[in-house]
Amino acid sequence: MGDDATGAAGEFSNIVGEHDLLTGDAIGPDYAHDEALVGEPVTPRYVARPQTAEQVAELLAAASAAGIPVTARGSGTGLSGAARPHADGLLISFEKMASTLEIDTGNQVAVVQPGVTLADLDTVTAEHGLVYQVFPGELSASLGGNVATNAGGMRAVKYGVTRHNVLGVQAALGTGELIRAGGKITKISSGYDLTQLIIGSEGTLGLVTEVTLKLYPRLAHSATLLVPFADLEAITHAVPAVLRTGVDPNILEYIDSLTLAAIAHAQGLTLGIPADIEQTAQAYLVIGRGHRERDRLDGDVELLGELAESLGAMDLYVLEGHSAHSLIEARERAFWMGKSAGADDVIDTVVPRAQMHEFLNKARQLATEVNAGVIGCGHAGDGNVHLAVFCPDDDTRHGLLHQIFATAMELGGAIAGEHGLGRVKASHFAELEDPAKIALMRRIKAAFDPAGILNPGVLLTNSDDK
């Protein structure tokens, strides 16, 4: 380690304390990666574990002065490589900033530090009869990471994604300045909305040090409907019909037959689907509904059953209690199923929901042309398609994904719906997005991070970071 590195280590150590600055062999392997299936782990030169927002700001000021790249890390559950550090860089881990600071029942908000996990928050809010409704599928994920990627999940069809449920943030900028934006208010029309600009910026504009979240009443009753269809096109037509009923589902998912069979086998699920349906159904619609009154929930289920029959559903299964919970939990673990099955990548492309069938047909056609495979599931209510891609050759897979992403954008969609671009998809974004928009993003980044230290190579390619 040279003199400059030794000096930086000393400065970082002075800020967080010697015990909370890790270097060399003290840096464990978990700090080197997130859960992206593409890219090799990278061990950073330094890992700092701050305990206060002020320490985060001081770390960024010192790193900016020294020109040291900085990556933030929560739980490391991201899927796009955004939490993978630089070999000569500083990784700021929020493991010691993991407190729920306040549950304000009067305003129905929670104020949390970035290291708080979804599981931790759910336990605390349950004590107050409240719930944070963004569940991206991995309860060990941190709120700071969810804000960075604008995480979504199955409940987005009713409650929206992270940006619809974050009312305010405190963030440390690349300059070392500490700012607050938004707060315990549901509307604001006073200048640029910096809260929404920071959400989804993947640690390239600032590091979130506190988040104010919208909470909802926790409903007492719920039911899950599993509806098999002969083809995916029928599901595409069923989705708007379900939404037009006014039943307002909190989950509206599709799962192709291969994926459902795989997750049912992996989780040991018995769903009671007859063999003839299993053999002929091409896809399933999963509808979740909650209500504070049992009778009204039963009425909604009856209405949805009649609608499904009129739309040509092959059958309908009403799951409650353990079986419903197990199915939703298994659906949320679909990424891990794909990973264990040997998927080479997992993507989360989004298109207008009415174009989902067209997109899936084209994606499968493109995969077939290069002897690759794509299977998956997705948020049918918002057009967010999750595909496990089986294509071991790196160059072939890169070309295939580029064509799939281009198809999504041609249909009015986007490359990523909730995982973010990270390092994995940044090059595709640079080639496919409007150059004027890329240039504008570059100017915005320069205002927040003039030294270009925050997550270089993430979201924008390296050449676009500076």
Side-chain angles (χ1 to χ4, degrees):
M1 187 179 291
D3 291 341
D4 289 346
T6 302
E11 191 160 3
F12 296 153
S13 179
N14 288 337
I15 294 168
V16 298
E18 184 177 349
H19 177 71
D20 284 317
L21 182 75
L22 309 179
T23 59
D25 293 340
I27 298 176
D30 281 350
Y31 292 116
H33 65 90
D34 59 11
E35 293 297 336
L37 298 182
V38 178
E40 296 298 320
V42 177
T43 301
R45 179 166 289 180
Y46 321 95
V47 173
R49 302 182 297 193
Q51 299 184 49
T52 67
E54 290 72 22
Q55 288 180 346
V56 176
E58 290 177 36
L59 287 169
L60 293 189
S64 185
I68 295 173
V70 177
T71 302
R73 179 186 173 86
S75 301
T77 61
L79 300 174
S80 64
R84 191 169 69 233
H86 285 255
D88 58 347
L90 167 67
L91 180 74
I92 295 181
S93 170
F94 285 108
E95 63 198 87
K96 293 196 171 183
M97 292 179 67
S99 297
T100 298
L101 302 175
E102 183 183 7
I103 301 294
D104 181 340
T105 57
N107 289 303
Q108 283 192 195
V109 301
V111 182
V112 304
Q113 291 184 310
V116 171
T117 67
L118 290 166
D120 293 337
L121 179 61
D122 197 52
T123 298
V124 174
T125 56
E127 297 172 1
H128 300 269
L130 298 170
V131 62
Y132 176 62
Q133 289 287 14
V134 181
F135 282 80
E138 179 52 66
L139 288 177
S140 68
S142 68
L143 269 301
N146 282 188
V147 170
T149 60
N150 187 30
M154 286 191 281
R155 301 186 191 183
V157 65
K158 180 172 182 178
Y159 296 103
V161 296
T162 298
R163 71 169 66 258
H164 303 119
N165 292 275
V166 171
L167 300 175
V169 297
Q170 181 190 57
L173 309 185
T175 57
E177 297 166 286
L178 200 59
I179 66 165
R180 284 188 178 274
K184 296 180 182 180
I185 48 179
T186 57
K187 59 172 67 172
I188 183 169
S189 182
S190 305
Y192 300 135
D193 194 337
L194 299 179
T195 303
Q196 293 301 319
L197 189 56
I198 290 169
I199 295 170
S201 63
E202 302 187 55
T204 63
L205 300 182
L207 303 191
V208 172
T209 54
E210 184 182 294
V211 191
T212 301
L213 304 165
K214 185 189 301 185
L215 302 179
Y216 294 82
R218 196 174 283 257
L219 300 178
H221 305 285
S222 64
T224 301
L225 282 65
L226 180 62
V227 190
F229 284 88
D231 56 69
L232 186 58
E233 186 173 4
I235 284 182
T236 304
H237 296 313
V239 168
V242 170
L243 295 174
R244 282 195 299 267
T245 64
V247 165
D248 201 17
N250 58 10
I251 293 174
L252 191 54
E253 298 283 299
Y254 89 87
I255 308 177
D256 70 28
S257 56
L258 286 174
T259 301
L260 182 64
I263 62 178
H265 176 75
Q267 300 294 319
L269 287 179
T270 302
L271 298 172
I273 303 173
D276 61 325
I277 299 291
E278 284 188 335
Q279 291 167 6
T280 54
Q282 292 298 305
Y284 295 78
L285 192 62
V286 180
I287 308 172
R289 179 73 175 111
H291 209 288
R292 60 187 179 86
E293 296 180 19
R294 180 78 236 183
D295 289 346
R296 292 195 177 186
L297 176 63
D298 291 341
D300 288 343
V301 169
E302 183 177 353
L303 172 63
L304 290 170
E306 293 171 355
L307 176 65
E309 183 179 2
S310 72
L311 293 170
M314 302 172 71
D315 208 336
L316 181 140
Y317 310 97
V318 180
L319 309 177
E320 298 189 26
H322 177 72
S323 59
H325 176 77
S326 297
L327 174 62
I328 297 304
E329 187 177 65
R331 161 62 186 90
E332 289 175 336
R333 304 291 293 175
F335 163 74
W336 302 103
M337 182 276 298
K339 182 176 180 179
S340 65
D344 299 292
D345 207 346
V346 174
I347 59 175
D348 71 313
T349 312
V350 62
V351 295
R353 62 178 179 240
Q355 277 65 55
M356 191 173 65
H357 174 62
E358 182 180 354
F359 170 75
L360 282 166
N361 280 344
K362 181 64 174 178
R364 288 167 177 165
Q365 176 190 332
L366 291 169
T368 299
E369 289 172 358
V370 294
N371 295 317
V374 292
I375 63 169
C377 48
H379 310 311
D382 56 38
N384 190 189
V385 178
H386 293 252
L387 294 175
V389 181
F390 297 85
C391 183
D393 181 79
D394 289 344
D395 292 337
T396 303
R397 185 174 65 254
H398 181 88
L400 170 61
L401 294 185
H402 197 77
Q403 289 181 291
I404 290 175
F405 297 148
T407 298
M409 294 181 73
E410 289 166 4
L411 292 171
I415 292 172
E418 57 187 12
H419 295 167
L421 297 168
R423 302 186 190 286
V424 176
K425 305 181 190 78
S427 63
H428 297 288
F429 183 67
E431 293 178 38
L432 293 172
E433 188 52 271
D434 179 358
K437 289 169 64 176
I438 295 285
L440 177 58
M441 291 179 190
R442 184 165 63 245
R443 295 195 297 273
I444 292 170
K445 178 170 172 58
F448 279 75
D449 178 28
I453 61 162
L454 291 179
N455 240 3
V458 167
L459 197 154
L460 299 168
T461 60
N462 277 325
S463 61
D464 288 327
D465 266 336
K466 304 301 182 183

